[in-house]
Amino acid sequence: MNKYFKFLLSIILIISFTEEIKATHVPGGNITYENIGPNTFVVTLTVFEDCGTAFMGNTAQMVMLSNSCGLSSPNINLPNVVFQDEVSQLCLQMIGQSECNGGGFPGVYMHVWRDTITLPGGCDSWVFAWDGCCRNTSVNASGGSNNYYWETILNSVTAPTNSSPIITSQPIPYNCNNQPVNYNFGVIEPDGDSLHYSLVSAMDAAGVFLPYNPGYSGSSPINGIAIDPNTGEITFTPQLIGNFVVAVLIEEFNSNGDLVGSILQDFQFEILVCQNIGPSPPAGGIVNLYGADTLPGSLGFGIQACEGDSICFDMVFLDVDPNDTLSITSNITQLFPGSTFSQTGSTSPVTASFCMVVLPGTNPFTAINVTVTDNACPVNGSSSFVILLNVISSTYAGSDVTMCFGVPTSLNSSGGSTFN
C-alpha cells in the first residue's frame, strides 16, 4: 500500500470517526494555583472544548471556594485570558481542516481563565471547584452527556507557600487503535515536592461519581490501563475506537511526608483508526550515561545521582517508517535551569542528548518527560517516556574554586558531619 493511498484512507477513516463521536463539548480540564505571597495565589481554570460542538464564550467563570476552618469562602470570578487556542493533535498540513476551522478532522480548543486572589487565612482544606455541562460522549461512561466537576485542594497551613503541579503535555491525546500507548503529563513540580499519581473516578458533581458502563470504573477506565504512581506514566493498548474519560489524582507530599495539596486532571483519550505506526520506545532506555549511575530496577529508564553531580546521557528513538520525520521535546530545561537538550538527526534513528547539574534541594524523585512525535498525517504519532531521577542527598560545598597557599579561606558545607 503506497503512502498516498494510506494518507487518503486515513482521512476517510478519521472523518467517519468524527461523525460518530460528535456530541456535547467538554473533554477535560483542571484547576491550578501559584503562590505569589502570604495567602495570595494566582488561580487558573483550564478547560478543553470539542470544536465540533463548541459554544463556550469568553465571559468570566466562577470557581467555587470552600474550606472546613470556618473562614469566609466567597466564590471567585476569573476573567478569561486565553480563548479558543487550538491544541488539536493533527499534523501541520491538516490543522486548517480541523473542526475548529470548519473542517471534518477532530479538533480541540483550550480556554483559560485566571486571576490573583487573597485567601482570608490559612486552612488545610481549601477546595477550588468548577462544574458544568456537558462532557463529550464516551465509550466508558453511561448516561449520555454527563456533567463534569473538577476540584483542587490546597493545604495552606502545612504548606503556606505551596504551588500546584504544572502539566505540560498534550492535553487531549489522540491515539491509534490496537497500538501501544505511552502517555505522560510532563509535570513540573515548582516546590520540589514528591508526587503520587492514581486513577480515580471522574465526577458529575461534588461528591457524585461519574456513572461508568459495565466493565469500566474510575480505577480501570480503559481495559488494561496502568499508571506508574511515581512518574504518572500511563500505558495501555486500546482495542476500541471512541472517547474514554480518564481522571488522575496528582497528590503532593513534602519532605516530611505531609500531604500539601492535590489536583484532579480530568481528560479523555481519543482512540482513532490509523494507518500510521507511531515511534517506538528507546531501545535499552538511557545510553552513554556520564557522571551518574543507572537506577537499579528501572529497566534503563532511571538515573541515580548525588546533589552537585554534572550528568549527561542520550536516548535513541526509532520509527518503523524510515520516511517519517521525528521531533523530540522534553521538560528538562524547565525542571533544571541551565540544562541543555539537543536532537541529532530527524529520521530514524534519532538521538536526543541531555546534560544538567543536579542542584542541592532537587526533588529526590524527579520525573523528566521526553516526548517523540512523528509527522504522520492527519494525526501525528506520539509517545511519551519518563526518565526517573533519584537524587541522593550529599555533602555539597558549591562550585569548585581555586585556593592559594597561605591565604585564609573558609568553607561552608552541608549534608554531613565529618569532612576531609
Side-chain angles (χ1 to χ4, degrees), residues 188-230:
I188 297 172
E189 169 38 49
D191 306 299
D193 295 324
S194 297
L195 302 179
H196 182 270
Y197 301 82
S198 57
L199 293 166
V200 298
S201 178
M203 290 189 282
D204 253 349
V208 179
F209 295 122
L210 185 72
Y212 287 87
N213 283 321
Y216 300 103
S217 65
S219 60
S220 182
I222 301 175
N223 291 333
I225 194 171
I227 188 168
D228 187 305
N230 297 314

mmCIF file of all heavy atoms in Angstrom, residues 188-230:
data_model
loop_
_atom_site.group_PDB
_atom_site.id
_atom_site.type_symbol
_atom_site.label_atom_id
_atom_site.label_comp_id
_atom_site.label_asym_id
_atom_site.label_seq_id
_atom_site.Cartn_x
_atom_site.Cartn_y
_atom_site.Cartn_z
ATOM 1 N N ILE A 188 5.683 19.548 35.950
ATOM 2 C CA ILE A 188 6.730 20.313 36.617
ATOM 3 C C ILE A 188 6.230 20.629 38.020
ATOM 4 O O ILE A 188 5.141 21.192 38.184
ATOM 5 C CB ILE A 188 7.040 21.613 35.858
ATOM 6 C CG1 ILE A 188 7.585 21.290 34.467
ATOM 7 C CG2 ILE A 188 8.032 22.476 36.631
ATOM 8 C CD1 ILE A 188 7.731 22.494 33.578
ATOM 9 N N GLU A 189 6.994 20.254 39.035
ATOM 10 C CA GLU A 189 6.621 20.486 40.427
ATOM 11 C C GLU A 189 7.494 21.617 40.968
ATOM 12 O O GLU A 189 8.668 21.422 41.254
ATOM 13 C CB GLU A 189 6.811 19.198 41.235
ATOM 14 C CG GLU A 189 6.725 19.291 42.732
ATOM 15 C CD GLU A 189 5.674 20.259 43.252
ATOM 16 O OE1 GLU A 189 4.522 20.217 42.808
ATOM 17 O OE2 GLU A 189 6.028 21.088 44.109
ATOM 18 N N PRO A 190 6.961 22.830 41.100
ATOM 19 C CA PRO A 190 7.787 24.005 41.416
ATOM 20 C C PRO A 190 8.374 24.017 42.813
ATOM 21 O O PRO A 190 9.341 24.757 43.074
ATOM 22 C CB PRO A 190 6.817 25.180 41.220
ATOM 23 C CG PRO A 190 5.457 24.598 41.379
ATOM 24 C CD PRO A 190 5.549 23.200 40.872
ATOM 25 N N ASP A 191 7.829 23.230 43.743
ATOM 26 C CA ASP A 191 8.294 23.280 45.130
ATOM 27 C C ASP A 191 9.219 22.124 45.506
ATOM 28 O O ASP A 191 9.651 22.031 46.659
ATOM 29 C CB ASP A 191 7.086 23.283 46.077
ATOM 30 C CG ASP A 191 6.115 24.393 45.751
ATOM 31 O OD1 ASP A 191 6.521 25.564 45.812
ATOM 32 O OD2 ASP A 191 4.957 24.086 45.406
ATOM 33 N N GLY A 192 9.495 21.238 44.570
ATOM 34 C CA GLY A 192 10.353 20.100 44.885
ATOM 35 C C GLY A 192 9.665 19.022 45.698
ATOM 36 O O GLY A 192 10.330 18.175 46.293
ATOM 37 N N ASP A 193 8.327 19.047 45.745
ATOM 38 C CA ASP A 193 7.598 18.019 46.485
ATOM 39 C C ASP A 193 7.568 16.713 45.697
ATOM 40 O O ASP A 193 7.721 16.695 44.474
ATOM 41 C CB ASP A 193 6.157 18.473 46.745
ATOM 42 C CG ASP A 193 6.083 19.689 47.655
ATOM 43 O OD1 ASP A 193 6.913 19.774 48.569
ATOM 44 O OD2 ASP A 193 5.208 20.545 47.437
ATOM 45 N N SER A 194 7.353 15.619 46.424
ATOM 46 C CA SER A 194 7.176 14.321 45.776
ATOM 47 C C SER A 194 5.723 14.178 45.340
ATOM 48 O O SER A 194 4.804 14.630 46.033
ATOM 49 C CB SER A 194 7.541 13.192 46.743
ATOM 50 O OG SER A 194 8.901 13.260 47.109
ATOM 51 N N LEU A 195 5.513 13.553 44.187
ATOM 52 C CA LEU A 195 4.172 13.417 43.620
ATOM 53 C C LEU A 195 3.723 11.961 43.623
ATOM 54 O O LEU A 195 4.538 11.044 43.447
ATOM 55 C CB LEU A 195 4.138 13.961 42.192
ATOM 56 C CG LEU A 195 4.548 15.434 42.010
ATOM 57 C CD1 LEU A 195 4.489 15.812 40.528
ATOM 58 C CD2 LEU A 195 3.654 16.346 42.827
ATOM 59 N N HIS A 196 2.435 11.774 43.814
ATOM 60 C CA HIS A 196 1.840 10.444 43.726
ATOM 61 C C HIS A 196 0.651 10.519 42.784
ATOM 62 O O HIS A 196 -0.225 11.386 42.926
ATOM 63 C CB HIS A 196 1.387 9.953 45.103
ATOM 64 C CG HIS A 196 0.811 8.573 45.080
ATOM 65 N ND1 HIS A 196 -0.540 8.323 44.877
ATOM 66 C CD2 HIS A 196 1.403 7.352 45.212
ATOM 67 C CE1 HIS A 196 -0.745 7.021 44.885
ATOM 68 N NE2 HIS A 196 0.403 6.404 45.092
ATOM 69 N N TYR A 197 0.607 9.596 41.813
ATOM 70 C CA TYR A 197 -0.433 9.582 40.788
ATOM 71 C C TYR A 197 -1.329 8.363 40.979
ATOM 72 O O TYR A 197 -0.841 7.258 41.243
ATOM 73 C CB TYR A 197 0.184 9.507 39.386
ATOM 74 C CG TYR A 197 1.113 10.633 39.023
ATOM 75 C CD1 TYR A 197 2.445 10.637 39.433
ATOM 76 C CD2 TYR A 197 0.668 11.694 38.234
ATOM 77 C CE1 TYR A 197 3.314 11.664 39.084
ATOM 78 C CE2 TYR A 197 1.527 12.729 37.872
ATOM 79 C CZ TYR A 197 2.843 12.702 38.300
ATOM 80 O OH TYR A 197 3.694 13.723 37.950
ATOM 81 N N SER A 198 -2.635 8.548 40.809
ATOM 82 C CA SER A 198 -3.551 7.409 40.890
ATOM 83 C C SER A 198 -4.765 7.654 39.996
ATOM 84 O O SER A 198 -5.205 8.799 39.811
ATOM 85 C CB SER A 198 -4.010 7.179 42.335
ATOM 86 O OG SER A 198 -4.614 8.339 42.876
ATOM 87 N N LEU A 199 -5.288 6.578 39.427
ATOM 88 C CA LEU A 199 -6.519 6.630 38.640
ATOM 89 C C LEU A 199 -7.701 6.648 39.600
ATOM 90 O O LEU A 199 -7.806 5.799 40.490
ATOM 91 C CB LEU A 199 -6.608 5.414 37.720
ATOM 92 C CG LEU A 199 -5.572 5.338 36.592
ATOM 93 C CD1 LEU A 199 -5.545 3.933 35.988
ATOM 94 C CD2 LEU A 199 -5.859 6.376 35.512
ATOM 95 N N VAL A 200 -8.586 7.631 39.433
ATOM 96 C CA VAL A 200 -9.741 7.767 40.315
ATOM 97 C C VAL A 200 -10.997 7.971 39.471
ATOM 98 O O VAL A 200 -10.925 8.190 38.260
ATOM 99 C CB VAL A 200 -9.571 8.950 41.288
ATOM 100 C CG1 VAL A 200 -8.369 8.727 42.198
ATOM 101 C CG2 VAL A 200 -9.433 10.266 40.525
ATOM 102 N N SER A 201 -12.133 7.924 40.125
ATOM 103 C CA SER A 201 -13.387 8.143 39.412
ATOM 104 C C SER A 201 -13.536 9.612 39.055
ATOM 105 O O SER A 201 -13.295 10.495 39.878
ATOM 106 C CB SER A 201 -14.562 7.690 40.273
ATOM 107 O OG SER A 201 -15.783 7.942 39.604
ATOM 108 N N ALA A 202 -13.919 9.878 37.809
ATOM 109 C CA ALA A 202 -14.311 11.237 37.438
ATOM 110 C C ALA A 202 -15.620 11.557 38.155
ATOM 111 O O ALA A 202 -16.316 10.664 38.646
ATOM 112 C CB ALA A 202 -14.478 11.337 35.935
ATOM 113 N N MET A 203 -15.962 12.853 38.229
ATOM 114 C CA MET A 203 -17.143 13.255 38.988
ATOM 115 C C MET A 203 -18.138 14.043 38.136
ATOM 116 O O MET A 203 -17.746 14.801 37.252
ATOM 117 C CB MET A 203 -16.731 14.064 40.216
ATOM 118 C CG MET A 203 -16.030 13.218 41.279
ATOM 119 S SD MET A 203 -15.756 14.105 42.833
ATOM 120 C CE MET A 203 -14.329 15.090 42.380
ATOM 121 N N ASP A 204 -19.424 13.840 38.460
ATOM 122 C CA ASP A 204 -20.520 14.578 37.850
ATOM 123 C C ASP A 204 -20.753 15.898 38.586
ATOM 124 O O ASP A 204 -21.093 16.914 38.001
ATOM 125 C CB ASP A 204 -21.805 13.752 37.922
ATOM 126 C CG ASP A 204 -22.200 13.197 36.561
ATOM 127 O OD1 ASP A 204 -21.604 13.612 35.560
ATOM 128 O OD2 ASP A 204 -23.104 12.343 36.512
ATOM 129 N N ALA A 205 -20.620 15.850 39.905
ATOM 130 C CA ALA A 205 -20.812 16.998 40.784
ATOM 131 C C ALA A 205 -20.068 16.700 42.076
ATOM 132 O O ALA A 205 -19.505 15.600 42.233
ATOM 133 C CB ALA A 205 -22.296 17.237 41.046
ATOM 134 N N ALA A 206 -20.039 17.649 42.991
ATOM 135 C CA ALA A 206 -19.335 17.444 44.251
ATOM 136 C C ALA A 206 -19.876 16.210 44.968
ATOM 137 O O ALA A 206 -21.065 16.130 45.279
ATOM 138 C CB ALA A 206 -19.485 18.676 45.137
ATOM 139 N N GLY A 207 -18.984 15.234 45.199
ATOM 140 C CA GLY A 207 -19.379 14.019 45.894
ATOM 141 C C GLY A 207 -20.178 13.038 45.066
ATOM 142 O O GLY A 207 -20.598 11.995 45.571
ATOM 143 N N VAL A 208 -20.402 13.339 43.779
ATOM 144 C CA VAL A 208 -21.180 12.445 42.905
ATOM 145 C C VAL A 208 -20.266 11.902 41.819
ATOM 146 O O VAL A 208 -19.745 12.653 40.991
ATOM 147 C CB VAL A 208 -22.372 13.188 42.254
ATOM 148 C CG1 VAL A 208 -23.141 12.239 41.342
ATOM 149 C CG2 VAL A 208 -23.273 13.779 43.310
ATOM 150 N N PHE A 209 -20.036 10.599 41.828
ATOM 151 C CA PHE A 209 -19.122 9.989 40.883
ATOM 152 C C PHE A 209 -19.792 9.754 39.532
ATOM 153 O O PHE A 209 -20.997 9.487 39.455
ATOM 154 C CB PHE A 209 -18.575 8.675 41.422
ATOM 155 C CG PHE A 209 -17.718 8.852 42.640
ATOM 156 C CD1 PHE A 209 -18.043 8.214 43.834
ATOM 157 C CD2 PHE A 209 -16.597 9.666 42.609
ATOM 158 C CE1 PHE A 209 -17.261 8.377 44.960
ATOM 159 C CE2 PHE A 209 -15.811 9.835 43.729
ATOM 160 C CZ PHE A 209 -16.142 9.192 44.914
ATOM 161 N N LEU A 210 -19.002 9.844 38.490
ATOM 162 C CA LEU A 210 -19.489 9.601 37.140
ATOM 163 C C LEU A 210 -19.963 8.151 37.018
ATOM 164 O O LEU A 210 -19.260 7.235 37.449
ATOM 165 C CB LEU A 210 -18.357 9.869 36.150
ATOM 166 C CG LEU A 210 -18.679 9.779 34.659
ATOM 167 C CD1 LEU A 210 -19.536 10.968 34.242
ATOM 168 C CD2 LEU A 210 -17.395 9.748 33.839
ATOM 169 N N PRO A 211 -21.148 7.896 36.434
ATOM 170 C CA PRO A 211 -21.576 6.507 36.236
ATOM 171 C C PRO A 211 -20.819 5.877 35.066
ATOM 172 O O PRO A 211 -20.810 6.420 33.960
ATOM 173 C CB PRO A 211 -23.078 6.644 35.921
ATOM 174 C CG PRO A 211 -23.224 8.019 35.349
ATOM 175 C CD PRO A 211 -22.191 8.871 36.015
ATOM 176 N N TYR A 212 -20.186 4.754 35.332
ATOM 177 C CA TYR A 212 -19.414 4.060 34.297
ATOM 178 C C TYR A 212 -20.207 2.894 33.730
ATOM 179 O O TYR A 212 -21.021 2.278 34.426
ATOM 180 C CB TYR A 212 -18.092 3.549 34.871
ATOM 181 C CG TYR A 212 -17.074 4.640 35.131
ATOM 182 C CD1 TYR A 212 -17.074 5.327 36.339
ATOM 183 C CD2 TYR A 212 -16.130 4.986 34.174
ATOM 184 C CE1 TYR A 212 -16.150 6.340 36.592
ATOM 185 C CE2 TYR A 212 -15.197 5.990 34.412
ATOM 186 C CZ TYR A 212 -15.221 6.665 35.623
ATOM 187 O OH TYR A 212 -14.304 7.660 35.860
ATOM 188 N N ASN A 213 -19.957 2.588 32.474
ATOM 189 C CA ASN A 213 -20.578 1.430 31.847
ATOM 190 C C ASN A 213 -19.986 0.137 32.425
ATOM 191 O O ASN A 213 -18.864 0.144 32.956
ATOM 192 C CB ASN A 213 -20.351 1.460 30.336
ATOM 193 C CG ASN A 213 -21.267 2.464 29.644
ATOM 194 O OD1 ASN A 213 -22.431 2.600 30.013
ATOM 195 N ND2 ASN A 213 -20.739 3.172 28.654
ATOM 196 N N PRO A 214 -20.705 -0.967 32.337
ATOM 197 C CA PRO A 214 -20.187 -2.246 32.844
ATOM 198 C C PRO A 214 -18.813 -2.562 32.245
ATOM 199 O O PRO A 214 -18.602 -2.385 31.036
ATOM 200 C CB PRO A 214 -21.236 -3.261 32.395
ATOM 201 C CG PRO A 214 -22.502 -2.459 32.292
ATOM 202 C CD PRO A 214 -22.083 -1.107 31.806
ATOM 203 N N GLY A 215 -17.920 -3.021 33.099
ATOM 204 C CA GLY A 215 -16.569 -3.350 32.661
ATOM 205 C C GLY A 215 -15.582 -2.212 32.816
ATOM 206 O O GLY A 215 -14.377 -2.405 32.625
ATOM 207 N N TYR A 216 -16.085 -1.015 33.170
ATOM 208 C CA TYR A 216 -15.211 0.148 33.354
ATOM 209 C C TYR A 216 -15.432 0.735 34.744
ATOM 210 O O TYR A 216 -16.500 0.583 35.348
ATOM 211 C CB TYR A 216 -15.507 1.227 32.305
ATOM 212 C CG TYR A 216 -15.315 0.769 30.884
ATOM 213 C CD1 TYR A 216 -16.412 0.442 30.082
ATOM 214 C CD2 TYR A 216 -14.039 0.678 30.330
ATOM 215 C CE1 TYR A 216 -16.250 0.034 28.768
ATOM 216 C CE2 TYR A 216 -13.871 0.263 29.007
ATOM 217 C CZ TYR A 216 -14.971 -0.059 28.239
ATOM 218 O OH TYR A 216 -14.798 -0.463 26.943
ATOM 219 N N SER A 217 -14.413 1.443 35.237
ATOM 220 C CA SER A 217 -14.507 2.108 36.535
ATOM 221 C C SER A 217 -13.474 3.221 36.578
ATOM 222 O O SER A 217 -12.663 3.376 35.654
ATOM 223 C CB SER A 217 -14.252 1.107 37.670
ATOM 224 O OG SER A 217 -12.905 0.637 37.614
ATOM 225 N N GLY A 218 -13.495 3.991 37.658
ATOM 226 C CA GLY A 218 -12.508 5.049 37.792
ATOM 227 C C GLY A 218 -11.087 4.521 37.829
ATOM 228 O O GLY A 218 -10.174 5.121 37.255
ATOM 229 N N SER A 219 -10.880 3.383 38.488
ATOM 230 C CA SER A 219 -9.540 2.795 38.574
ATOM 231 C C SER A 219 -9.184 1.983 37.340
ATOM 232 O O SER A 219 -8.017 1.627 37.138
ATOM 233 C CB SER A 219 -9.432 1.910 39.819
ATOM 234 O OG SER A 219 -10.396 0.864 39.768
ATOM 235 N N SER A 220 -10.177 1.673 36.493
ATOM 236 C CA SER A 220 -9.936 0.929 35.256
ATOM 237 C C SER A 220 -10.810 1.522 34.136
ATOM 238 O O SER A 220 -11.730 0.866 33.643
ATOM 239 C CB SER A 220 -10.241 -0.555 35.450
ATOM 240 O OG SER A 220 -9.964 -1.290 34.272
ATOM 241 N N PRO A 221 -10.526 2.779 33.725
ATOM 242 C CA PRO A 221 -11.363 3.436 32.727
ATOM 243 C C PRO A 221 -11.159 2.930 31.306
ATOM 244 O O PRO A 221 -11.968 3.199 30.421
ATOM 245 C CB PRO A 221 -10.953 4.900 32.850
ATOM 246 C CG PRO A 221 -9.528 4.837 33.310
ATOM 247 C CD PRO A 221 -9.457 3.648 34.217
ATOM 248 N N ILE A 222 -10.054 2.214 31.077
ATOM 249 C CA ILE A 222 -9.762 1.589 29.788
ATOM 250 C C ILE A 222 -9.221 0.200 30.086
ATOM 251 O O ILE A 222 -8.396 0.031 31.000
ATOM 252 C CB ILE A 222 -8.718 2.399 28.985
ATOM 253 C CG1 ILE A 222 -9.224 3.827 28.734
ATOM 254 C CG2 ILE A 222 -8.386 1.716 27.663
ATOM 255 C CD1 ILE A 222 -8.199 4.730 28.061
ATOM 256 N N ASN A 223 -9.648 -0.800 29.350
ATOM 257 C CA ASN A 223 -9.183 -2.162 29.597
ATOM 258 C C ASN A 223 -7.660 -2.241 29.481
ATOM 259 O O ASN A 223 -7.086 -1.829 28.471
ATOM 260 C CB ASN A 223 -9.833 -3.138 28.613
ATOM 261 C CG ASN A 223 -11.318 -3.295 28.872
ATOM 262 O OD1 ASN A 223 -11.794 -3.118 29.982
ATOM 263 N ND2 ASN A 223 -12.074 -3.629 27.819
ATOM 264 N N GLY A 224 -7.021 -2.755 30.536
ATOM 265 C CA GLY A 224 -5.575 -2.937 30.528
ATOM 266 C C GLY A 224 -4.768 -1.711 30.890
ATOM 267 O O GLY A 224 -3.535 -1.746 30.842
ATOM 268 N N ILE A 225 -5.407 -0.607 31.282
ATOM 269 C CA ILE A 225 -4.682 0.623 31.587
ATOM 270 C C ILE A 225 -3.924 0.486 32.906
ATOM 271 O O ILE A 225 -4.369 -0.182 33.840
ATOM 272 C CB ILE A 225 -5.642 1.835 31.641
ATOM 273 C CG1 ILE A 225 -4.861 3.157 31.622
ATOM 274 C CG2 ILE A 225 -6.546 1.762 32.864
ATOM 275 C CD1 ILE A 225 -5.747 4.380 31.451
ATOM 276 N N ALA A 226 -2.748 1.103 32.969
ATOM 277 C CA ALA A 226 -1.951 1.127 34.197
ATOM 278 C C ALA A 226 -1.283 2.486 34.308
ATOM 279 O O ALA A 226 -0.987 3.133 33.295
ATOM 280 C CB ALA A 226 -0.897 0.013 34.185
ATOM 281 N N ILE A 227 -1.047 2.935 35.535
ATOM 282 C CA ILE A 227 -0.359 4.196 35.773
ATOM 283 C C ILE A 227 0.750 3.979 36.789
ATOM 284 O O ILE A 227 0.556 3.290 37.793
ATOM 285 C CB ILE A 227 -1.343 5.292 36.258
ATOM 286 C CG1 ILE A 227 -0.659 6.657 36.308
ATOM 287 C CG2 ILE A 227 -1.962 4.933 37.585
ATOM 288 C CD1 ILE A 227 -1.612 7.821 36.504
ATOM 289 N N ASP A 228 1.927 4.530 36.512
ATOM 290 C CA ASP A 228 3.041 4.455 37.451
ATOM 291 C C ASP A 228 2.796 5.493 38.545
ATOM 292 O O ASP A 228 2.693 6.685 38.247
ATOM 293 C CB ASP A 228 4.355 4.747 36.734
ATOM 294 C CG ASP A 228 5.570 4.508 37.617
ATOM 295 O OD1 ASP A 228 5.632 5.102 38.708
ATOM 296 O OD2 ASP A 228 6.471 3.754 37.210
ATOM 297 N N PRO A 229 2.694 5.078 39.821
ATOM 298 C CA PRO A 229 2.358 6.034 40.879
ATOM 299 C C PRO A 229 3.430 7.090 41.121
ATOM 300 O O PRO A 229 3.124 8.158 41.662
ATOM 301 C CB PRO A 229 2.173 5.147 42.116
ATOM 302 C CG PRO A 229 2.959 3.905 41.818
ATOM 303 C CD PRO A 229 2.856 3.704 40.347
ATOM 304 N N ASN A 230 4.663 6.829 40.709
ATOM 305 C CA ASN A 230 5.752 7.776 40.943
ATOM 306 C C ASN A 230 5.998 8.737 39.790
ATOM 307 O O ASN A 230 6.427 9.867 40.008
ATOM 308 C CB ASN A 230 7.048 7.009 41.246
ATOM 309 C CG ASN A 230 6.951 6.186 42.500
ATOM 310 O OD1 ASN A 230 6.477 6.651 43.532
ATOM 311 N ND2 ASN A 230 7.392 4.931 42.426
#
